[in-house]
Amino acid sequence: MQLRVGEDYTLLNPVIALTITDFDMFENSNKVISRYKLKEKDDLTDYSDDIELVFVELPKFNKQLSELETLSDKWLYFLKAANTLESVPASMEEVPEINHAFEVARESKLTRKELELLEKREMFLHDSKNAILKARQDGKQEGAKEKAIEIARSLIGILDVQTISQTIGLSVAEVERLRN
């Protein structure tokens, strides 16, 4: 999917398959994150550095909130505790992606009716913002038109109607009405 027909394979990005489990997948290992590369089965030569399999076993992650040190720790804690969190813990708020993930997780727990209400609220806020932007734009256009009329009035008697029209951007008919 990364390439179009005829493009060179060297343009491919590495592929990482990420599997997150809520059970112990590799019982003989106490590692939370395990990374695997592909090898040829008989002579054990490496296949490529372009494919990596990553397994995250959440039951093996046992750090408490106060023990989180790295970004990986924070993500693992979030993944393990997301369904029990009421809000993003203060020590994790500085990571915008975790805040976004929390909102997605929170929305996934909403009932259909609650989700519809949330979507309607977001649509209302979006529409209101657009209405304000449109009103500002209309106000600027109206102000520019009024300024053009003011300038045109001051030029009547100094310049001919055609020149005023071309210079100010009003139609000849508009300048004629102002003159009368």
Side-chain angles (χ1 to χ4, degrees), residues 16-52:
I16 300 172
L18 174 64
T19 302
I20 301 171
T21 67
D22 62 353
F23 59 90
D24 286 348
M25 190 162 187
F26 306 108
E27 293 178 8
N28 295 331
S29 171
N30 61 356
K31 291 172 62 173
V32 175
I33 301 173
S34 303
R35 293 177 172 86
Y36 292 87
K37 299 249 181 199
L38 301 178
K39 289 192 173 285
E40 201 283 327
K41 197 170 185 177
D42 294 326
D43 63 19
L44 301 178
T45 55
D46 289 331
Y47 169 73
S48 167
D49 287 335
D50 293 338
I51 297 177
E52 184 176 357

XYZ file of all heavy atoms in Angstrom, residues 16-52:
307
model
N 5.965 -2.281 11.177
C 5.976 -2.745 12.565
C 4.570 -3.224 12.882
O 3.615 -2.453 12.796
C 6.388 -1.617 13.536
C 7.793 -1.132 13.189
C 6.314 -2.104 14.981
C 8.230 0.100 13.957
N 4.456 -4.489 13.235
C 3.166 -5.045 13.643
C 3.124 -4.980 15.161
O 3.960 -5.571 15.845
C 3.035 -6.489 13.168
N 2.180 -4.223 15.701
C 2.062 -4.036 17.142
C 0.856 -4.815 17.645
O -0.263 -4.622 17.174
C 1.900 -2.544 17.462
C 1.633 -2.188 18.914
C 2.822 -2.583 19.804
C 1.348 -0.695 19.040
N 1.123 -5.708 18.609
C 0.062 -6.494 19.225
C 0.048 -6.178 20.706
O 1.072 -6.338 21.387
C 0.298 -8.001 19.018
O 0.375 -8.262 17.611
C -0.803 -8.832 19.636
N -1.084 -5.717 21.206
C -1.230 -5.406 22.630
C -2.188 -6.435 23.199
O -3.312 -6.588 22.704
C -1.775 -3.982 22.836
C -0.828 -2.965 22.187
C -1.962 -3.680 24.322
C -1.359 -1.557 22.124
N -1.732 -7.141 24.235
C -2.560 -8.201 24.805
C -2.937 -7.888 26.248
O -2.207 -7.211 26.963
C -1.835 -9.569 24.778
O -0.721 -9.523 25.680
C -1.365 -9.922 23.388
N -4.081 -8.413 26.673
C -4.480 -8.316 28.074
C -4.292 -9.671 28.764
O -4.943 -9.994 29.739
C -5.920 -7.817 28.193
C -6.921 -8.756 27.543
O -6.496 -9.727 26.880
O -8.135 -8.516 27.688
N -3.386 -10.457 28.220
C -3.031 -11.764 28.790
C -1.536 -11.987 28.565
O -0.913 -11.319 27.741
C -3.847 -12.895 28.143
C -3.666 -12.987 26.649
C -2.657 -13.787 26.097
C -4.492 -12.273 25.790
C -2.479 -13.871 24.722
C -4.323 -12.347 24.411
C -3.318 -13.142 23.881
N -0.963 -12.918 29.315
C 0.456 -13.263 29.137
C 0.592 -14.109 27.883
O 0.048 -15.208 27.808
C 0.984 -14.044 30.346
C 1.181 -13.158 31.560
O 1.138 -11.920 31.414
O 1.378 -13.694 32.664
N 1.314 -13.595 26.932
C 1.495 -14.304 25.673
C 2.732 -15.198 25.727
O 2.718 -16.300 25.205
C 1.607 -13.285 24.538
C 1.551 -13.906 23.191
S 1.150 -12.616 21.996
C 0.944 -13.610 20.570
N 3.784 -14.691 26.331
C 5.034 -15.443 26.445
C 5.286 -15.702 27.931
O 5.915 -14.907 28.628
C 6.189 -14.657 25.806
C 5.924 -14.255 24.379
C 5.662 -12.933 24.043
C 5.915 -15.207 23.373
C 5.411 -12.562 22.731
C 5.658 -14.849 22.051
C 5.404 -13.526 21.733
N 4.794 -16.816 28.391
C 4.821 -17.119 29.824
C 6.235 -17.325 30.376
O 6.463 -17.160 31.562
C 3.946 -18.338 30.110
C 2.476 -18.035 29.848
C 1.567 -19.229 30.067
O 2.036 -20.269 30.570
O 0.384 -19.103 29.716
N 7.200 -17.658 29.536
C 8.573 -17.880 30.004
C 9.386 -16.598 30.082
O 10.567 -16.630 30.396
C 9.292 -18.888 29.102
C 8.651 -20.263 29.176
O 8.073 -20.625 30.205
N 8.730 -21.015 28.105
N 8.762 -15.469 29.787
C 9.455 -14.184 29.801
C 8.697 -13.211 30.697
O 7.467 -13.211 30.728
C 9.537 -13.623 28.375
O 10.016 -12.300 28.398
N 9.448 -12.371 31.412
C 8.798 -11.359 32.242
C 8.830 -9.976 31.578
O 8.453 -8.982 32.182
C 9.415 -11.310 33.633
C 10.892 -10.954 33.593
O 11.478 -10.822 32.524
N 11.494 -10.798 34.755
N 9.289 -9.924 30.316
C 9.358 -8.658 29.585
C 7.952 -8.185 29.210
O 7.141 -8.966 28.730
C 10.200 -8.823 28.313
C 11.679 -9.044 28.577
C 12.446 -9.384 27.322
C 12.382 -8.250 26.335
N 13.247 -8.461 25.161
N 7.722 -6.886 29.408
C 6.444 -6.294 29.024
C 6.378 -6.133 27.506
O 5.364 -6.424 26.879
C 6.255 -4.923 29.717
C 4.979 -4.251 29.234
C 6.241 -5.083 31.231
N 7.484 -5.671 26.924
C 7.548 -5.451 25.478
C 8.569 -6.403 24.877
O 9.730 -6.414 25.292
C 7.933 -3.992 25.147
C 6.909 -3.025 25.743
C 8.053 -3.798 23.640
C 7.285 -1.570 25.608
N 8.135 -7.188 23.908
C 9.022 -8.114 23.208
C 9.046 -7.745 21.738
O 7.997 -7.487 21.139
C 8.525 -9.558 23.346
O 8.414 -9.916 24.712
N 10.249 -7.740 21.163
C 10.410 -7.387 19.742
C 11.022 -8.575 18.996
O 12.009 -9.137 19.454
C 11.314 -6.167 19.613
C 10.700 -4.909 20.167
C 11.679 -3.737 20.077
N 11.043 -2.497 20.421
C 10.922 -2.046 21.656
N 11.400 -2.741 22.661
N 10.323 -0.904 21.891
N 10.442 -8.880 17.853
C 10.915 -10.009 17.066
C 11.188 -9.575 15.634
O 10.486 -8.731 15.081
C 9.876 -11.146 17.057
C 9.702 -11.799 18.400
C 8.792 -11.284 19.326
C 10.452 -12.913 18.754
C 8.640 -11.874 20.568
C 10.298 -13.505 20.001
C 9.388 -12.981 20.904
O 9.238 -13.563 22.131
N 12.201 -10.177 15.051
C 12.524 -10.002 13.626
C 12.344 -11.369 12.965
O 12.422 -12.405 13.618
C 13.972 -9.533 13.463
C 14.236 -8.203 14.130
C 14.477 -7.183 13.099
C 14.773 -5.844 13.749
N 14.586 -4.779 12.861
N 12.179 -11.356 11.655
C 11.992 -12.606 10.932
C 13.338 -13.226 10.540
O 14.259 -12.510 10.156
C 11.144 -12.357 9.687
C 9.756 -11.776 9.929
C 9.056 -11.552 8.595
C 8.923 -12.652 10.825
N 13.409 -14.562 10.646
C 14.618 -15.309 10.254
C 14.215 -16.475 9.351
O 13.100 -16.985 9.442
C 15.326 -15.876 11.477
C 15.997 -14.840 12.341
C 16.911 -15.516 13.362
C 17.707 -14.495 14.126
N 18.789 -13.917 13.372
N 15.150 -16.877 8.510
C 14.943 -18.067 7.684
C 14.965 -19.274 8.622
O 15.813 -19.363 9.507
C 16.051 -18.171 6.627
C 15.694 -19.034 5.423
C 15.766 -20.523 5.700
O 16.617 -20.927 6.508
O 14.984 -21.277 5.113
N 14.055 -20.197 8.433
C 13.836 -21.286 9.376
C 15.011 -22.271 9.469
O 15.355 -22.720 10.558
C 12.567 -22.044 8.976
C 12.012 -22.900 10.056
C 10.640 -23.412 9.648
C 10.010 -24.183 10.775
N 8.672 -24.624 10.447
N 15.678 -22.605 8.361
C 16.731 -23.617 8.392
C 18.100 -23.051 8.765
O 18.766 -23.561 9.660
C 16.816 -24.344 7.046
C 15.565 -25.156 6.775
O 14.968 -25.685 7.744
O 15.176 -25.249 5.594
N 18.534 -21.999 8.066
C 19.888 -21.507 8.347
C 19.911 -20.256 9.245
O 20.960 -19.688 9.506
C 20.680 -21.262 7.057
C 20.063 -20.190 6.177
O 19.264 -19.383 6.675
O 20.396 -20.161 4.973
N 18.727 -19.822 9.707
C 18.572 -18.720 10.664
C 19.159 -17.384 10.202
O 19.591 -16.570 11.012
C 19.159 -19.108 12.022
C 18.542 -20.349 12.678
C 19.226 -20.669 13.987
C 17.050 -20.175 12.874
N 19.156 -17.163 8.897
C 19.593 -15.858 8.400
C 18.443 -14.864 8.570
O 17.267 -15.234 8.499
C 20.005 -15.918 6.914
O 18.917 -16.460 6.161
C 21.239 -16.762 6.718
N 18.810 -13.613 8.800
C 17.801 -12.575 8.967
C 17.079 -12.339 7.643
O 17.696 -12.311 6.587
C 18.441 -11.264 9.423
C 18.922 -11.334 10.859
O 18.327 -12.095 11.654
O 19.885 -10.621 11.205
N 15.781 -12.157 7.727
C 14.989 -11.869 6.537
C 15.244 -10.436 6.074
O 15.624 -10.196 4.952
C 13.495 -12.086 6.828
C 12.588 -11.568 5.740
C 12.494 -12.233 4.525
C 11.853 -10.399 5.914
C 11.687 -11.753 3.519
C 11.035 -9.921 4.913
C 10.959 -10.603 3.716
O 10.146 -10.113 2.715
N 15.017 -9.496 6.987
C 15.128 -8.094 6.629
C 14.963 -7.259 7.888
O 14.358 -7.695 8.862
C 14.043 -7.736 5.611
O 13.928 -6.352 5.461
N 15.479 -6.051 7.856
C 15.239 -5.124 8.959
C 13.942 -4.355 8.751
O 13.590 -3.495 9.547
C 16.401 -4.127 9.084
C 17.653 -4.779 9.647
O 17.516 -5.799 10.354
O 18.750 -4.263 9.382
N 13.239 -4.638 7.669
C 12.046 -3.885 7.317
C 10.774 -4.375 7.986
O 9.734 -3.741 7.863
C 11.837 -3.907 5.801
C 12.933 -3.147 5.075
O 13.581 -2.296 5.705
O 13.137 -3.406 3.876
N 10.839 -5.508 8.678
C 9.648 -6.038 9.342
C 10.000 -6.360 10.785
O 10.995 -7.030 11.066
C 9.111 -7.298 8.634
C 8.680 -6.959 7.213
C 7.949 -7.907 9.413
C 8.202 -8.141 6.403
N 9.172 -5.850 11.701
C 9.381 -6.110 13.113
C 8.033 -6.421 13.750
O 7.021 -5.784 13.434
C 9.996 -4.879 13.783
C 10.330 -5.082 15.238
C 11.031 -3.871 15.855
O 11.312 -2.897 15.129
O 11.270 -3.907 17.061
